[in-house]
Amino acid sequence: MATACRDLIDTSRDTLRAQFRRDVLTGLSQQRKAIPARWFYDHRGSELFEEITRLPEYYPTRTETGILMAHATRIGRMVGSRHHVVVEFGAGSATKTPLLLDAIWTAAYVPIDISGEFLSESCEALAARYPDLPIHPVEADFSHPATLPAEVGAHPRLGFFPGSTIGNMEPLAAADLLRSMRETLGAGSLLLIGFDRIKDEAELVAAYDDAQGVTAAFNLNLAARINGELDGAIPLDALAHRAIWNDERARIEMHIEATRDIAFDVCGTRFTMAAGETIHTENSHKYDPRSADTLLLAGGWEPLQGFGDAGDKFMVILARAIGDDLTA
């Protein structure tokens, strides 16, 4: 019997901490302060995001789940009868993963996530559901090419990138990420990826500024993490969550705003923020089918088939590495 869940592969927590420190200090030093969204996801941030996915205002998770449920059989047919290694980028709690694992022939599952503790918990849950499936969790920043465990062998790879996380990157960075994923997965690989669609501004803003304040807590947890991990002294009571729609760039922006003039230290470096000044913490770009296809092509992937919902709120696209044949 195959080992169900391998030990977590830690690509170096010291490296991740050093990257966190560098990104925070660099971001706070800029004239327009900004910190990459990937640093939301410590254990508490991951828990809060899972709460967000269950909010009534937050349509992406339930809509994408419905798409995967409705089209799982067709996706399975397109992937083919060969056993694939499923590599999930930014796996988190892996709540949508069973919908894919149940639809295809799977040789192994490799979840990659920046939060090792949260990754271990989700791994154990999947191992209980799939006791004969080899699971090889990798703690890493998936925005860089990752070395897959040797145990997965030469099986073809299917990348899984749900949740419209691709929208968190600027288009050039998103294309770079897609190229990095292709490098991680290798020749002959497939990619199943989610894109949030452009829609009414009020619906979009509500999804990122919910009535219960969970998204606000998620955003502000980044400042708490800086205080806890980087010897920060940011006055949390002087911060507020802001979510706005940038129509020119077709994206929701999340910011942490100073509600008064503040000064604080992080890692021994002094920073100031004037009242109304913000730290730009996240973008969530929205796509139509044409712009999603263009992005995939720029990143080295040929779109094969798009799957959507009746309300045109979300889309999931199956793509293959350009120049590779899809074989069953």
Side-chain angles (χ1 to χ4, degrees):
M1 179 179 293
T3 301
C5 189
R6 306 283 179 168
D7 291 337
L8 177 70
I9 297 176
D10 183 347
T11 57
S12 178
R13 295 191 179 188
D14 288 341
T15 298
L16 291 175
R17 183 178 292 272
Q19 291 173 349
F20 181 40
R21 180 180 184 276
R22 181 194 64 224
D23 284 351
V24 169
L25 293 179
T26 300
L28 293 178
S29 299
Q30 296 173 169
Q31 183 175 2
R32 294 184 177 180
K33 295 176 171 59
I35 298 173
R38 63 178 174 273
W39 300 116
F40 280 138
Y41 298 98
D42 63 349
H43 190 268
R44 180 56 181 154
S46 297
E47 288 180 331
L48 286 167
F49 182 73
E50 292 308 312
E51 289 186 42
I52 289 171
T53 65
R54 297 188 289 270
L55 293 169
E57 298 97 330
Y58 195 77
Y59 61 85
T61 299
R62 62 177 177 271
T63 306
E64 184 179 34
T65 298
I67 292 170
L68 292 171
M69 292 176 65
H71 298 285
T73 300
R74 188 175 180 189
I75 291 170
R77 285 200 302 265
M78 293 191 69
V79 171
S81 59
R82 298 175 65 190
H83 284 74
H84 281 68
V85 173
V86 174
V87 180
E88 184 168 1
F89 298 93
S93 64
T95 54
K96 299 167 191 166
T97 311
L99 298 172
L100 180 59
L101 297 181
D102 290 343
I104 69 170
W105 296 93
T106 310
Y109 172 61
V110 181
I112 303 175
D113 200 272
I114 202 167
S115 176
E117 184 180 357
F118 203 72
L119 182 59
S120 294
E121 293 174 4
S122 61
C123 171
E124 292 302 323
L126 277 177
R129 179 166 180 164
Y130 302 98
D132 296 329
L133 177 65
I135 300 176
H136 307 274
V138 176
E139 182 181 7
D141 178 359
F142 65 79
S143 65
H144 303 287
T147 300
L148 299 182
E151 293 92 334
V152 304
H155 292 284
R157 284 80 183 268
L158 169 62
F160 188 39
F161 196 39
S164 71
T165 307
I166 192 70
N168 293 150
M169 293 102 186
E170 295 280 358
L172 287 176
D176 287 341
L177 174 61
L178 290 168
R179 284 189 286 269
S180 174
M181 288 177 170
R182 192 190 185 290
E183 183 176 342
T184 295
L185 295 170
S189 55
L190 298 170
L191 178 67
L192 189 65
I193 180 172
F195 289 89
D196 196 7
R197 295 193 59 164
I198 298 170
K199 58 184 69 64
D200 179 72
E201 178 180 347
E203 184 176 8
L204 286 167
V205 171
Y208 293 84
D209 193 12
D210 61 278
Q212 297 180 48
V214 181
T215 310
F218 172 71
N219 194 14
L220 297 173
N221 180 66
L222 176 59
R225 182 182 183 186
I226 292 170
N227 283 354
E229 296 184 26
L230 299 179
D231 297 322
I234 304 173
L236 302 183
D237 63 346
L239 304 178
H241 165 68
R242 295 288 180 264
I244 60 173
W245 171 246
N246 184 329
D247 190 64
E248 181 179 352
R249 300 199 176 193
R251 71 189 189 193
I252 286 284
E253 296 178 0
M254 291 210 318
H255 295 256
I256 294 174
E257 181 179 344
T259 57
R260 64 174 188 267
D261 293 348
I262 57 175
F264 55 89
D265 293 335
V266 176
C267 291
T269 302
R270 192 71 166 174
F271 298 99
T272 62
M273 293 180 67
E277 187 178 356
T278 71
I279 305 169
H280 191 165
T281 54
E282 184 180 53
N283 294 316
S284 185
H285 292 83
K286 309 306 175 184
Y287 289 87
D288 59 25
R290 178 177 294 181
S291 59
D293 285 352
T294 299
L295 178 61
L296 284 166
L297 289 166
W301 296 91
E302 177 189 358
L304 297 174
Q305 181 66 53
F307 307 91
D309 61 286
D312 289 333
K313 294 179 181 292
F314 203 92
M315 55 189 166
V316 175
I317 299 175
L318 180 65
R320 64 180 169 191
I322 288 177
D324 296 325
D325 292 328
L326 179 62
T327 56

